[in-house]
Amino acid sequence: MRATLLGGVLLALMFPIAAQAQISGEVVKIGVLTDMAGVTADITGKGSLVAAEMAVREIGGTVLGKPVQVIAADHQHKADIGTGIARQWFDVEGVDAVVDVPNSGVALAIQGLAREKKRIVLYSGAGTTALTNEQCSPFGVHWTYDTYAVSHGTASAVVKAGGTSWFFLSADYAFGQQLQKDASDVIAAAGGKVLGSVRHPLNSADFSSFLLTAQSSGAKVIGLANAGNDTINAMKQANEFGIVKGGQNLAAMILFLQDVHTLGLEAAQGTYLTTASYWDLNDATRTWSKQFMEKTGMPPSMLHAGVYGAVRHYLKAVAKAGTDDADRVAAAMREIPIDDVFSENATLRQDGRVTRTMYLARVKKPQESKYPWDYFEIVRKIPPEETVWPLSESKCPLVKGASR
């Protein structure tokens, strides 16, 4: 009797979390809210779903003895559709966490809903800094990058290389506008000038008039504050117009591995970019990426890698918290270390921003590429303090002493 009682006490001491585990609906459910067929489908979409599923398999498919389920939906880059899906997930289907959410307008709409419903959202595809500033949430985690990070890495490098006058082609929604503003601030601080800008609709097919306006500005650099197919189409048509041959340079504020693959090295060579990860960085990233390629036919974009890391960290936090309760999981996410193969020096701040080492990369010349998808040369590591909005300037109510 005494031995049995003692054994029970020891088990309770060894496994207190398991003994108190509370999982709503007896399943941990994760929703990948993404773009399955639109302008960013190659860099998010199916790959984001695969990345989330790989993270779940990596932790054994269960947490706290309960199964982990992953579902997915396409928000079509429309805030009303995205919030409708999320509301259905939260209210009816019991989704505990949402991940990815490319498109800053959709992400900001989801942020408000998730705050109201007390559900975790892990942003990999969205870029607006508002997610961790004015519209921050205790349940919102900005995992992979933001416009501040990519603009500071890329714009500063181009200005230092002599690109002192700029003209912007910017996507006409929250992401593009913020990206242009952040890059413009960097350019001005480095002694450069922005001569003008034009805005184009999302998913534009014809950039001719925008490019002609940029060409006539006489700017040394035409900055592309857009993403996905918009960046690809703009760069293709700029090449057709002979803009680079005419003496102007292109600078893509955000450029992905898949974009370069579509463009080809001949058209993209020499372009600087800032990335949160690269598949070919080391043995660990190559091993993981090989598994991803077997399922998708391509290496992961930094957004795919972000979805994987975010889901993995979320599940570890659920295990630590002993519950899927959003308040306790959010606290655990800030306490435990971030340790996936794509995250270096990564931590989760009060405002929901994950700070991490990022990389300034240059697209290789065709003759420099030695094997398939060997597209980036890593120029330098960028420490976290250079690519995150300073907390001293934060407008997030969660940050003590934040400016209002």
Side-chain angles (χ1 to χ4, degrees), residues 4 47 58 62 70 119 126 157 162 172 175 179 184 190 194 201 212 283 310 315 318 335 350 355 377 384:
T4 302
E58 191 171 293
T62 65
V70 180
R119 301 297 171 90
D172 192 13
F175 170 80
L179 193 54
S184 298
V194 177
L212 288 171
D283 288 343
L315 293 173
V318 171
E335 294 171 5
Q350 299 162 270
T355 71
E377 172 196 356

Side-chain angles (χ1 to χ4, degrees), residues 17-37:
I17 291 177
Q20 302 170 20
Q22 296 179 351
I23 298 298
S24 58
E26 300 299 301
V27 61
V28 176
K29 187 176 283 191
I30 298 169
V32 180
L33 188 58
T34 190
D35 169 17
M36 288 295 187

Side-chain angles (χ1 to χ4, degrees), residues 153-168:
T154 304
S156 60
V158 174
V159 173
K160 288 176 183 177
T164 53
S165 61
W166 289 62
F167 188 96
F168 278 98

Side-chain angles (χ1 to χ4, degrees), residues 104-396:
S104 292
V106 179
L108 290 171
I110 298 298
Q111 183 89 316
L113 178 65
R115 186 189 297 110
E116 172 194 337
K117 301 291 184 179
K118 297 186 69 171
R119 301 297 171 90
I120 301 289
V121 187
L122 310 162
Y123 302 101
S124 184
T128 178
T129 55
L131 289 167
T132 52
N133 256 301
E134 299 90 344
Q135 299 192 44
C136 69
S137 164
F139 312 113
V141 178
H142 208 168
W143 187 268
T144 306
Y145 82 106
D146 62 19
T147 56
Y148 186 96
V150 293
S151 60
H152 276 65
T154 304
S156 60
V158 174
V159 173
K160 288 176 183 177
T164 53
S165 61
W166 289 62
F167 188 96
F168 278 98
L169 269 65
S170 303
D172 192 13
Y173 66 108
F175 170 80
Q177 295 164 23
Q178 188 68 53
L179 193 54
Q180 178 185 325
K181 180 187 181 302
D182 289 342
S184 298
D185 290 345
V186 175
I187 293 163
K193 294 182 179 180
V194 177
L195 304 183
S197 66
V198 291
R199 293 180 179 178
H200 66 81
L202 179 68
N203 209 9
S204 294
D206 185 4
F207 283 85
S208 57
S209 63
F210 306 123
L211 288 167
L212 288 171
T213 302
Q215 190 175 34
S216 64
S217 73
K220 292 181 180 179
V221 181
I222 298 174
L224 303 177
N226 48 23
N229 290 344
D230 284 333
T231 303
I232 292 169
N233 288 335
M235 291 182 73
K236 279 183 177 179
Q237 290 172 41
N239 187 52
E240 293 168 1
F241 287 6
I243 285 177
V244 175
K245 290 181 180 178
Q248 291 175 296
N249 292 311
L250 299 177
M253 292 300 94
I254 184 166
L255 190 68
F256 295 92
L257 188 72
Q258 286 77 3
D259 300 337
V260 174
H261 186 73
T262 300
L263 283 163
L265 291 178
E266 188 65 38
Q269 61 182 307
T271 303
Y272 282 100
L273 63 131
T274 301
T275 184
S277 64
Y278 181 45
W279 77 273
D280 202 16
L281 195 62
N282 53 49
D283 288 343
T285 59
R286 282 187 285 271
T287 297
W288 191 93
S289 298
K290 182 179 179 181
Q291 299 172 34
F292 183 88
M293 289 178 72
E294 289 172 353
K295 300 178 183 300
T296 65
M298 62 181 176
S301 71
M302 73 170 180
L303 305 184
H304 297 144
V307 168
Y308 157 74
V311 170
R312 187 176 187 272
H313 190 69
Y314 168 75
L315 293 173
K316 289 180 66 177
V318 171
K320 177 178 174 58
T323 177
D324 57 3
D325 174 76
D327 285 307
R328 291 171 62 180
V329 173
M333 289 187 74
R334 286 167 171 81
E335 294 171 5
I336 61 179
I338 297 173
D339 66 351
D340 67 272
V341 299
F342 293 104
S343 297
E344 184 177 350
N345 298 323
T347 59
L348 177 54
R349 298 197 311 190
Q350 299 162 270
D351 59 356
R353 180 72 164 92
V354 170
T355 71
R356 62 174 68 250
T357 296
M358 297 191 75
Y359 306 91
L360 179 67
R362 180 187 63 83
V363 178
K364 291 184 173 183
K365 298 176 181 178
Q367 62 270 27
E368 294 173 332
S369 178
K370 305 303 181 185
Y371 40 85
W373 298 94
D374 175 28
Y375 295 158
F376 292 171
E377 172 196 356
I378 301 302
V379 178
R380 77 177 183 101
K381 291 183 178 182
I382 309 175
E385 57 268 22
E386 292 185 25
T387 58
V388 292
W389 192 285
L391 281 179
S392 60
E393 300 175 13
S394 175
K395 297 178 182 178
C396 171

